[in-house]
Each structure stands twice: as structure tokens, then as C-alpha cells.
Amino acid sequence: MNLEEIYQKLDQDQRISKAEAFFLYQKADWLTLAQKAQARRAQRLGANWASYTLFRVINYTNICNIDCSFCSFKRHEGEQGAYVMSQEEVLAKVKSTLELGVGQIFLQGGVHPDLPFSYYTELLRAIKATYPVHIRGFSPVEIQYMAQLEGRPSLGIIQELKAAGLDSVPGAGAEILVERVRQILSPQKCTVEEWGQILKECHSLGLRGSANLVFGSVETKEEIFEHLDFIRRLQEDTGGFDSFIPWTFQPQTKAFEVQKVPPQEYLKILALCRLFLDNIENIEVSVMVLGKEIGELALGMGANDISSPVIEEKVLRSYGTKSENEAQLLIEDAGYQARYRDFNYQS
Ligand code: SF4
């Protein structure tokens, strides 16, 4: 294996293998990776624009029995600060979101141990009956638990969520899709295979969405590429991922040690996501997690979307843009035309 051969493959828009991507990670210089990633972005999407979107996160409950080691958001039932939103509370949040001119919401909870399935379907129906919003919601982890609690196959559960009004799904709860890592970070979460199976089912029913990578914990560098390979193979099967978002762990709790990922390391991984994930069109930088400075640089390393601003997010601390105007300015400062896009990546 040598660098020149891999560069040639990239220049000819050929697929590179997991081993070749890892070789690039180890041997390629930063500037060449940036140039190759930008060339790929320009070739696929054009080079002169970048996009953002607007949505509200509604964390309908923080009660969760999964106990991920990195999470400071979850509470157990009965613990101080534990809550489940009523339908009225959620509807009031949707109403105020629309009043801000934003028509997209993202329902995300903890994995509640005993909320009946009707809570979710009635909530979706009530929102759709009252407000014209796109509803993205429920990670594979939440869906798998709903199926387990109902004692039914997940496909039927997803069909019912869709019929009740669910429009798209996040690829949340992935972190690093390698069993060794999951056993350390969150042994009670669904397995890698279950995560993939639920997203396959969602995509087969037309519920598209995103996938992500969260690194900077106990993973090895090779495991980052295992994760990317799993996502690329899943995308070959379904084509249901509109975008991919790499970000790093935030220090949330003392129980969990976060590696300090330097900006250049994050940007290198981001460029490799653009180059390796040749079947996912949009690569997002999470400005909300990584901040505006890295956001601007990432648009020169293969990313074409900054996602933010996000209204109200309780699981992660936000370092991102606070308004549509700020998002547009960030993109323009980086040298691109700013484009609004919706959850379906329509401008
Ligand atoms: S990350 Fe999600 S699944 Fe894990 S403990 Fe927190 S709320 Fe629960």
C-alpha cells in the first residue's frame, strides 16, 4: 500500500477500502487530506455553498434506565429532577417553535422503562392533528425498547410510529458501533446489529435520516474506521442516510473520562469521513458541539453543512450559533453562500 496509489484512487473517484482509509489516517499529511476532501465535496455538491437548518429539540423525558457512563442528562424514576412531559407541554413547545418560524422538531428522550407505547403514538397524532411540522424522532435505542416493552417485532412498532406521524429518524445512540466499546460505554444499549437492523427497517419504510460518530472515549483509531465501515455497508443496503455527522464526546460527568481531541485531529477524521463515506452525500460539522471556529474550518475540510442553530437542547451543551442570522454569517465568513435546508436536505 502506498499513499500515491490511494491518492490516485481518490482523484479518480474510486472507493477506498477500510485499510486504505486507516493508512491515510496514519500517513497522509493534513493539507493533502484537506485538499482531497474539498475536491470530493466540490465534485459531488459544488464548492460555493454550505447549508444550515433550524429545529427544536424536545426532550420529552429524561427518565432512562440505560445508564450510559457518559450521560449527565438521564434520571431514574423518582429521582429529583426526573420528568415526563405531558401532551399539552409538548404541544405548547411545538406551538412556540412555529411562532418562531421554525417547522421542524426533534423528539428525543431517555429510554423510559415503562411509558406505554400509546404515549408515543398519541403524542405524534396530537402534534400532527394540530401543527404542520416535520417530526424527526426516536433513536434506534428508544425504538428497540418500545418493541421490547410491547413484546412485538420492531418493524410493526416503526410502522405504527410512521402511521401516527413520524417523518424521519436520527441515527442517534451510535457513538462507536463496535461491541467492545459499547460494552464499556453503555452495556445496556442495543447491540451494533440491533442498531443497524432498526435503521434498516426505518429506511425500508421511507423514514430517512442521519448517522453519526461520537469519538474521543475508549475507542482505538482502528475502531473509528470499523464504525465508518459499518455505516457505509448499511448505506449500501438502504441508501437511507442523507447525512453523516462526526463529533466528539463532551465532558458531562466525572464518571467518564473524555480524551481531549485536538481540533486538527477532529478535522482530519472529518476529512476522512468525506473521503471514505462515498455513498453519503452530506457531511455535517456539529457546530453545536464543536463551536464556531472549528465549524468554519470544517467547511474547508469536506463538510458542507453546519446543522445549527438548534433551539433548546438538554442532552448536550450548546456551543453553537444562536440564530439564523448567526448561522448565515458563519457560513459567509468561511467563504460560502449560506443555504437553508430542511431535514430532508431540500433547500
Ligand atoms: S445517552 Fe440516552 S440512552 Fe444513554 S443514559 Fe443518556 S438518555 Fe439514556
Side-chain angles (χ1 to χ4, degrees):
M1 208 180 295
N2 75 55
L3 278 177
E4 280 316 313
E5 278 173 18
I6 305 175
Y7 290 155
Q8 226 172 34
K9 273 182 146 177
L10 292 173
D11 293 344
Q12 292 166 0
D13 203 14
Q14 287 176 30
R15 174 162 285 191
I16 56 169
S17 67
K18 181 175 63 172
E20 287 169 329
F22 187 55
F23 191 73
L24 284 179
Y25 172 78
Q26 291 174 304
K27 305 282 183 198
D29 68 86
W30 199 83
L31 195 59
T32 306
L33 275 184
Q35 285 164 346
K36 300 288 177 204
Q38 274 310 79
R40 175 66 61 84
R41 169 208 203 285
Q43 178 194 36
R44 296 285 165 91
L45 297 159
N48 62 344
W49 63 273
S51 53
Y52 65 95
T53 194
L54 300 162
F55 62 98
R56 180 176 206 145
V57 179
I58 302 178
N59 298 117
Y60 59 89
T61 182
N62 64 350
I63 297 174
C64 185
N65 65 351
I66 297 290
D67 288 331
C68 300
S69 56
F70 52 84
C71 181
S72 60
F73 167 71
K74 59 142 196 294
R75 296 287 180 277
H76 290 137
E77 250 177 329
E79 199 179 324
Q80 200 181 13
Y83 70 85
V84 179
M85 285 183 192
S86 65
Q87 207 175 87
E88 292 66 38
E89 284 174 284
V90 174
L91 288 174
K93 284 182 183 290
V94 178
K95 180 170 184 279
S96 68
T97 308
L98 277 169
E99 284 165 359
L100 293 170
V102 176
Q104 305 186 115
I105 61 161
F106 179 6
L107 291 176
Q108 182 186 39
V111 180
H112 195 290
D114 47 29
L115 266 186
F117 185 53
S118 57
Y119 172 90
Y120 306 99
T121 49
E122 284 168 16
L123 185 61
L124 291 166
R125 273 195 207 96
I127 297 170
K128 284 290 186 179
T130 322
Y131 301 113
V133 285
H134 180 124
I135 308 176
R136 173 164 290 191
F138 310 127
S139 67
V141 191
E142 287 161 274
I143 293 175
Q144 195 244 359
Y145 200 82
M146 291 174 205
Q148 194 178 315
L149 209 60
E150 281 286 287
R152 290 197 280 141
S154 50
L155 185 64
I157 292 289
I158 300 163
Q159 277 164 337
E160 285 187 41
L161 292 171
K162 185 180 179 195
L166 188 65
D167 293 299
S168 64
V169 285
E175 288 87 48
I176 298 278
L177 290 165
V178 172
E179 263 339 306
R180 185 195 77 82
V181 179
R182 289 177 94 69
Q183 281 307 312
I184 298 170
L185 297 187
S186 37
Q188 300 191 66
K189 247 180 188 166
C190 59
T191 64
V192 173
E193 285 311 315
E194 286 167 337
W195 188 96
Q197 182 57 31
I198 284 177
L199 279 182
K200 264 187 201 167
E201 291 169 355
C202 289
H203 294 173
S204 75
L205 294 170
L207 295 173
R208 303 177 63 80
S210 55
N212 56 44
L213 157 75
V214 191
F215 64 106
S217 65
V218 297
E219 81 280 350
T220 63
K221 301 302 178 204
E222 288 94 332
E223 284 167 337
I224 292 178
F225 292 88
E226 287 285 321
H227 175 96
L228 296 180
D229 191 49
F230 182 86
I231 296 289
R232 188 168 79 174
R233 284 186 280 115
L234 188 51
Q235 178 75 339
E236 284 299 285
D237 281 357
T238 73
F241 293 125
D242 288 322
S243 68
F244 186 80
I245 319 152
W247 75 77
T248 53
F249 276 100
Q250 290 181 334
Q252 294 187 11
T253 140
K254 289 194 178 101
F256 180 72
E257 198 167 329
V258 173
Q259 287 174 31
K260 175 107 186 81
V261 178
Q264 64 271 36
E265 171 76 1
Y266 171 77
L267 293 166
K268 190 173 168 181
I269 295 288
L270 178 101
L272 285 162
C273 290
R274 168 59 77 192
L275 294 169
F276 182 74
L277 297 173
D278 55 358
N279 54 3
I280 300 184
E281 192 155 280
N282 299 289
I283 303 292
E284 298 180 24
V285 52
S286 177
V287 168
M288 188 186 80
V289 175
L290 291 142
K292 294 179 235 176
E293 293 79 9
I294 295 184
E296 275 198 41
L297 291 170
L299 294 178
M301 291 288 286
N304 63 294
D305 187 274
I306 63 165
S307 183
S308 310
V310 179
I311 306 163
E312 193 179 18
E313 156 67 48
K314 292 186 181 156
V315 180
L316 297 166
R317 187 180 306 154
S318 175
Y319 298 95
T321 53
K322 301 278 187 293
S323 67
E324 181 164 19
N325 190 37
E326 243 189 86
Q328 289 167 339
L329 280 176
L330 184 153
I331 291 172
E332 285 163 11
D333 281 350
Y336 302 89
Q337 286 167 17
R339 256 187 214 175
Y340 173 80
R341 57 86 186 170
D342 64 17
F343 272 154
N344 296 323
Y345 266 86
Q346 300 301 308
S347 295

